Amino acid sequence: MTTSTQAPQNLEQSPAQPLEGTLNRQMIAILDFGSQYSELIARRIRETEVYSEVLPYRTTAEQLRQLNPQGIILSGGPNSVYDEGAPQTDPEIWQLGIPIIGVCYGMHVMVKQLGGEVERAQHAEYGKASLFIEQADDLLSNVDSGSTMWMSHGDACQTLPEGFEVLAHTDNTPCAVIANPQKRLYGVQFHPEVVHSVGGATLIRNFVYDVCECEPTWTPEAFVEEAVREIRAKVGDKHVLLALSGGVDSSTLAFLLHQAIGDQLTCMFIDQGFMRKGEPERLIKVFREQFHIPVEYVDARDRFLAQVEGISDPEEKRRRIGHEFIQVFEEESLRLGPFDYLAQGTLYPDVIESADSNIDVKTGERVAVKIKSHHNVGGLPQNLRFKLVEPLRKLFKDEVRKVAYSMGLPSDIVRRHPFPGPGLAIRIIGEISAERLEILREADFIVRDEIKKQGIYHDFWQAFAVLLPIRSVGVMGDQRTYAYPIVLRLISSEDGMTADWSRIPYDLLEIVSNRVVNEVEGVNRVVYDVTSKPPGTIEWE
């Protein structure tokens, strides 16, 4: 049982259909019982170059048979398997003859459904524990006895089903790894997918290659080949519109679509005036001149600034920026169109987390009511009846970057720091003006310029400047100044969900501070944000 105290989300939904183009590929199916780590399991499987999909726990044995996975993983979950109404899997899956491994709650489901007993443990186990191997087999090959594994459970297996044996234990858990080798059924009481589990990645790899006998076919090159084929089959001779932002998702999508359909693709870049210094020019130059992909540049800077001038509430800023983006997008799409398809950079985590696909009742096609590829800022009008083309919806973020590299995208686009849709507008605290935008743009450029010179740009999740709407007294050249402070925000993170402030050298702070104060008119003070997430957030607004 995991440490989560929240009830499983969307677990009662109808079993999901597989993503397009996956039926003929080797895959591992993950049945999700509400674990906070289900998505991470899928990522770890894919790191072995084998495809994986997360499916609801209610997916039936017949549906799994049609998917024909090489293996099945039952995820953890927040429930106790003996509680009334606790989620269970279709009992027929045990007759499929497919290798199955249960993780924590998934292991308890396996034990209970096959005739064993699960009860509340005498000693709950959370955090790190040493795993002592009693029998090394294919699953535990090259996993050292005594390895640290990450435990998170209050229940334990008391009686094993017939045919099962114990492979490993911890000090508090006699049945930490169990197996029925003849039927290729396994259970682990810990979370091998988390980084805290030493040898966890090896165990997962063993399950994928040695138990399930998979081949490493999930590669960027194979994805591009398959995606190009699917795009051509879906789009035919129709035209596709893509809102290009310059981020890795939309840039990769543009390359992929152009490779598939060429001039049938129209890329639109809406410059709202809130981008970082030099980025709009760099984007247009790379796409038009280096890669010969046409981009329709829309200069809407004055329109957006007029919408947010005098507005200090951050949510109102986002709302106005989102509304104006929709207005500009609608006008320009009508001018450049007509278009049959809207391309969106939907990624696999969006697919996992969202079951609210919008279906056109006449055609059965998904239609766009959100624009994700540029701003994440709200819904498109219902009368824009695009069909969606979402070639990246099988990929995680790190996989998008691998695909981008395989297609030759420049490193400065592929490894660009995340940037919020509203851009600098939410890095100016309070009211926005043309003057404040220019001050922040220049200060932000200095931050990025210096860490690039030091060769440490990619050491950070994000590195940027924030402008505060206050002034403080300073002295420059024997003259009194009354100017803005700039906040430096440099953070380290794995995924942006949590983050820590970066312990950068004082010498670097001094260089950045001196440059900002001397080169950016209107600034006389620089401070450093030493707040982690939580309790703070990455952005200030």
Side-chain angles (χ1 to χ4, degrees):
M1 186 172 68
T2 70
T3 57
S4 172
T5 59
Q6 297 179 348
Q9 299 297 310
N10 298 322
L11 294 186
E12 294 299 327
Q13 63 184 309
S14 299
Q17 294 299 313
L19 295 176
E20 295 177 43
T22 62
L23 290 174
N24 295 321
R25 183 196 297 118
Q26 285 190 336
M27 68 168 292
I28 302 294
I30 301 162
L31 300 190
D32 181 17
F33 286 91
S35 172
Q36 57 187 316
Y37 299 130
S38 294
E39 183 178 309
L40 185 56
I41 297 174
R43 291 171 62 90
R44 293 291 179 258
I45 298 293
R46 293 182 181 202
E47 287 170 2
T48 70
E49 296 188 336
V50 173
Y51 186 71
S52 63
E53 282 191 24
V54 178
L55 304 171
Y57 76 90
R58 293 178 54 142
T59 303
T60 67
E62 180 55 34
Q63 289 167 325
L64 287 167
R65 185 179 290 109
Q66 293 175 15
L67 279 174
N68 192 31
Q70 272 56 54
I72 299 171
I73 297 179
L74 309 183
S75 83
N79 296 89
S80 291
V81 73
Y82 47 75
D83 288 342
E84 183 178 354
Q88 305 288 327
T89 190
D90 182 350
E92 295 299 317
I93 71 167
W94 312 113
Q95 310 304 320
L96 292 174
I98 299 172
I100 301 175
I101 183 169
V103 177
C104 288
Y105 182 82
M107 171 183 173
H108 300 160
V109 170
M110 175 184 291
V111 169
K112 184 174 185 296
Q113 289 192 340
L114 293 178
E117 294 182 0
V118 178
E119 298 177 0
R120 180 165 296 280
Q122 290 185 351
H123 301 284
E125 203 167 23
Y126 300 100
K128 297 177 181 180
S130 296
L131 182 74
F132 301 104
I133 298 175
E134 301 174 24
Q135 298 184 56
D137 70 343
D138 289 345
L139 185 70
L140 296 176
S141 177
N142 296 317
V143 177
D144 294 333
S145 186
S147 294
T148 297
M149 295 297 176
W150 188 258
M151 293 287 186
S152 181
H153 68 98
D155 296 337
C157 301
Q158 301 300 321
T159 304
L160 296 184
E162 183 179 352
F164 278 77
E165 57 191 17
V166 175
L167 301 185
H169 69 275
T170 69
D171 287 338
N172 290 328
T173 304
C175 304
V177 182
I178 62 172
N180 183 328
Q182 288 71 35
K183 294 187 177 181
R184 297 184 296 173
L185 302 178
Y186 298 86
V188 295
Q189 186 61 80
F190 49 87
H191 286 279
E193 68 274 17
V194 303
V195 295
H196 307 292
S197 289
V198 179
T202 299
L203 185 151
I204 290 173
R205 188 178 184 87
N206 290 341
F207 179 73
V208 170
Y209 285 125
D210 298 336
V211 177
C212 301
E213 301 179 348
C214 291
E215 297 291 334
T217 58
W218 180 243
T219 64
E221 294 76 16
F223 170 80
V224 171
E225 180 180 347
E226 178 184 282
V228 166
R229 184 171 62 250
E230 291 180 1
I231 291 166
R232 289 172 177 169
K234 182 171 186 175
V235 172
D237 61 355
K238 305 299 183 182
H239 290 268
V240 178
L241 176 63
L242 168 64
L244 188 64
S245 70
V248 63
D249 297 342
S250 68
S251 297
T252 302
L253 185 53
F255 268 62
L256 185 61
L257 288 165
H258 192 259
Q259 182 173 327
I261 59 175
D263 293 341
Q264 294 168 238
L265 170 68
T266 296
C267 294
M268 181 201 303
F269 173 70
I270 299 174
D271 186 354
Q272 19 70 314
F274 306 138
M275 298 288 286
R276 292 175 285 207
K277 183 177 180 179
E279 285 196 334
E281 297 82 1
R282 166 67 174 159
L283 176 70
I284 298 300
K285 184 175 182 179
V286 166
F287 275 80
R288 286 181 179 174
E289 298 180 15
Q290 187 173 347
F291 295 104
H292 309 292
I293 299 177
V295 178
E296 293 286 341
Y297 173 78
V298 180
D299 184 354
R301 290 173 292 183
D302 291 342
R303 289 182 57 167
F304 279 87
L305 184 58
Q307 284 293 321
V308 297
E309 273 192 307
I311 303 300
S312 59
D313 180 74
E315 291 307 310
E316 181 64 14
K317 286 184 194 177
R318 291 177 182 271
R319 190 194 68 79
R320 287 177 175 242
I321 292 169
H323 176 77
E324 190 63 21
F325 180 82
I326 292 168
Q327 293 297 112
V328 176
F329 183 89
E330 181 176 21
E331 293 169 14
E332 295 299 320
S333 64
L334 292 174
R335 178 179 67 84
L336 297 169
F339 298 99
D340 299 279
Y341 286 91
L342 173 68
Q344 289 201 128
T346 305
L347 302 187
Y348 192 45
D350 302 320
V351 176
I352 296 174
E353 295 168 6
S354 175
D356 61 352
S357 300
N358 295 275
I359 307 299
D360 187 312
V361 295
K362 294 182 179 179
T363 66
E365 293 273 5
R366 289 190 65 217
V367 296
V369 296
K370 289 186 179 179
I371 177 96
K372 292 184 179 179
S373 56
H374 188 81
H375 279 298
N376 295 312
V377 290
L380 288 173
Q382 287 288 342
N383 59 349
L384 284 180
R385 302 297 292 181
F386 296 114
K387 298 175 184 177
L388 289 184
V389 55
E390 300 172 302
L392 305 183
R393 68 193 306 264
K394 302 172 187 175
L395 302 183
F396 289 104
K397 189 78 168 186
D398 56 330
E399 293 175 320
V400 174
R401 291 193 173 96
K402 292 176 183 177
V403 168
Y405 275 128
S406 76
M407 293 193 297
L409 268 74
S411 179
D412 63 336
I413 291 180
V414 178
R415 301 188 68 184
R416 172 184 184 256
H417 285 180
F419 190 58
L424 300 181
I426 59 168
R427 291 179 177 174
I428 295 174
I429 310 305
E431 296 183 7
I432 300 170
S433 67
E435 176 199 21
R436 290 180 175 182
L437 277 169
E438 188 60 25
I439 290 172
L440 180 57
R441 207 183 319 270
E442 292 298 323
D444 182 79
F445 172 78
I446 290 171
V447 176
R448 292 181 293 114
D449 185 50
E450 283 299 330
I451 62 175
K452 287 178 180 177
K453 286 180 179 178
Q454 299 276 345
I456 56 175
Y457 176 83
H458 299 302
D459 291 351
F460 306 101
W461 175 263
Q462 288 187 57
F464 58 91
V466 176
L467 177 67
L468 298 185
I470 59 175
R471 296 176 190 264
S472 66
V473 174
V475 57
M476 300 174 71
D478 296 326
Q479 297 292 323
R480 178 184 183 276
T481 62
Y482 194 57
Y484 292 110
I486 286 290
V487 179
L488 306 182
R489 182 75 160 139
L490 289 84
I491 62 166
S492 304
S493 178
E494 290 290 327
D495 54 13
M497 299 302 293
T498 61
D500 195 13
W501 62 276
S502 297
R503 277 70 170 171
I504 64 175
Y506 289 154
D507 289 347
L508 177 58
L509 280 174
E510 182 180 22
I511 292 170
V512 172
S513 177
N514 286 340
R515 281 195 62 186
V516 169
V517 171
N518 287 313
E519 297 177 26
V520 182
E521 186 176 353
V523 175
N524 67 355
R525 192 178 299 273
V526 175
V527 298
Y528 190 50
D529 184 348
V530 294
T531 311
S532 298
K533 176 188 177 181
T537 55
I538 293 176
E539 300 292 342
W540 274 50
E541 285 194 344

